[in-house]
């Protein structure tokens, strides 16, 4: 099997699974309980928070455990709207965000908020000038993803932060789900990022667990009210096994991260060069994009047909995103990048992780050549 669908999810690392099982079996106490079983669980919870914070270069009190990327995005956006809606009702995002952002924005629009969707260029990148023009006195939030999940475009987060330094009251949220471990992420005081969303299953951690970075002093309303866990900001009994396992996965992710990124970039470049030899192939991912995502189309062949043909030879890829593939809608990211509809419906995504190899990429190209020939005959 060749698994090239790592932006949909990654295989949980066996040592992370072992940690998850061990904590589940041995530390079943509720971190809120007063007895020593509770203390033990709470100790492990705070230790994980410290570890995550230290790896991310932030303070432990700035890390909040969530159920993953969707919750983080919803919390950042709706939590800001609830908290700051009395000061302004305008939000800014891009036209290439994950549905967790887009749909949260759409829900707020129905509640009377106004949303500006920044356009992107052919590489999927927003214009800083357009952002500057969009900012208003009633803007309360700018939410821009660091790395796009469909084509891997990298947004200019540092430059957006520079612009937002003149707007200290505007919250700046970054969906960093596809960026963690793949590009440099700066959450330091000078970065101006207030809120950032992360999800463990994208870096070999368990599904259903993630974390949010919330800069100290920045207020967003809780979405989950209840027993006051996570410093009173995200209630619900903590998924301790998931949290400890995620912090282990994060440690592994950041061990030799640069070497791993470089390896993925080499594989992406190798694949891209191999595919571009075919006149019927269009590559949508920029060479300067994230190292792990390569989106392309074989003209005339629908994405899902291509995905299933590859599956038959043991290679797992996806149409542009796992979310849009079941609904069979063409990618809104590609249409925002002005890719014509007939080409967008042929788009597929190869997404890599650090365990992928050049040998797998070679095998992919061998199978691609066979498929291309087969489809050529059909046409
Ligand atoms: C950019 C981005 N944001 C958010 C999410 C949602 O994360 P989760 O699957 O943890 O809910 C994903 C998942 O694909 C993603 O790629």
């Amino acid at each position: 099997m060749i698994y090239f669908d790592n932006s949909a999810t990654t295989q949980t690392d066996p040592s992370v699974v072992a940690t998850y099982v061990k904590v589940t079996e041995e530390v079943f106490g509720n971190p809120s309980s007063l007895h020593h079983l509770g203390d033990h669980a709470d100790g492990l919870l705070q230790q994980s928070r410290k570890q995550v914070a230290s790896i991310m270069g932030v303070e432990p009190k700035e890390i909040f455990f969530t159920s993953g990327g969707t919750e983080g995005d919803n919390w950042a956006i709706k939590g800001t709207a609830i908290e700051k809606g009395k000061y302004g009702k305008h939000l800014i995002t891009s036209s290439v965000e994950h549905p967790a952002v887009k749909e949260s924005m759409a829900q707020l629009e129905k509640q009377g908020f106004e949303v500006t969707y920044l356009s992107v260029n052919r590489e999927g990148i927003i214009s800083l000038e357009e952002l500057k023009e969009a900012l208003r006195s009633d803007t309360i939030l700018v939410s821009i993803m660091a790395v796009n999940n469909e084509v891997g475009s990298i947004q200019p987060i540092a430059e957006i932060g520079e612009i937002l330094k003149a707007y200290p009251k505007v919250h700046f949220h970054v969906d960093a789900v596809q960026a963690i471990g793949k590009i440099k992420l700066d959450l330091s005081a000078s970065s101006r990022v207030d809120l950032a969303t992360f999800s463990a299953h994208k870096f070999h951690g368990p599904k259903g667990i993630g974390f949010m970075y919330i800069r100290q002093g920045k207020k967003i309303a809780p979405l989950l009210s209840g027993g006051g866990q996570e410093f009173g900001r995200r209630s619900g009994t903590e998924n301790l096994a998931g949290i400890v396992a995620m912090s282990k996965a994060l440690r592994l992710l950041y061990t030799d991260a640069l070497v791993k990124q470089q390896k993925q970039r080499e594989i992406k470049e190798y694949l891209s060069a191999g595919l571009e030899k075919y006149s019927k192939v269009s590559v949508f991912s920029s060479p300067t994009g994230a190292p792990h995502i390569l989106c392309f189309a074989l003209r005339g062949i629908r994405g899902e047909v291509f995905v299933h043909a590859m599956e038959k030879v043991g290679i797992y890829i996806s149409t542009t995103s796992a979310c849009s593939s079941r609904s069979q809608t063409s990618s809104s990211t590609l249409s925002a990048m002005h890719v014509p509809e007939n080409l967008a419906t042929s788009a597929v995504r190869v997404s890599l992780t650090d365990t992928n190899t050049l040998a797998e990429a070679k095998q992919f190209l061998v199978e691609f050549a066979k498929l291309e020939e087969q489809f050529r005959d059909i046409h």
Side-chain angles (χ1 to χ4, degrees), residues 26-48:
E26 296 177 12
V27 195
F28 64 87
N30 186 325
S32 299
S33 291
L34 289 180
H35 47 68
H36 82 273
L37 294 179
D39 284 347
H40 184 57
D42 190 51
L44 215 49
L45 176 66
Q46 302 318 337
Q47 192 185 314
S48 301

Side-chain angles (χ1 to χ4, degrees), residues 7 27 52 62 76 112 139 154 157 176 180 184 192 194 240 250 285 309 319 321 324 327 348 374 379:
S7 287
V27 195
V52 171
E62 296 178 311
T139 306
I154 301 175
I157 298 302
I180 190 164
K184 191 170 178 298
R192 184 55 181 87
D194 297 317
L240 186 65
L250 194 62
S285 299
T319 49
S321 75
S324 67
S327 60
V348 291
Q374 218 176 304
H379 271 256

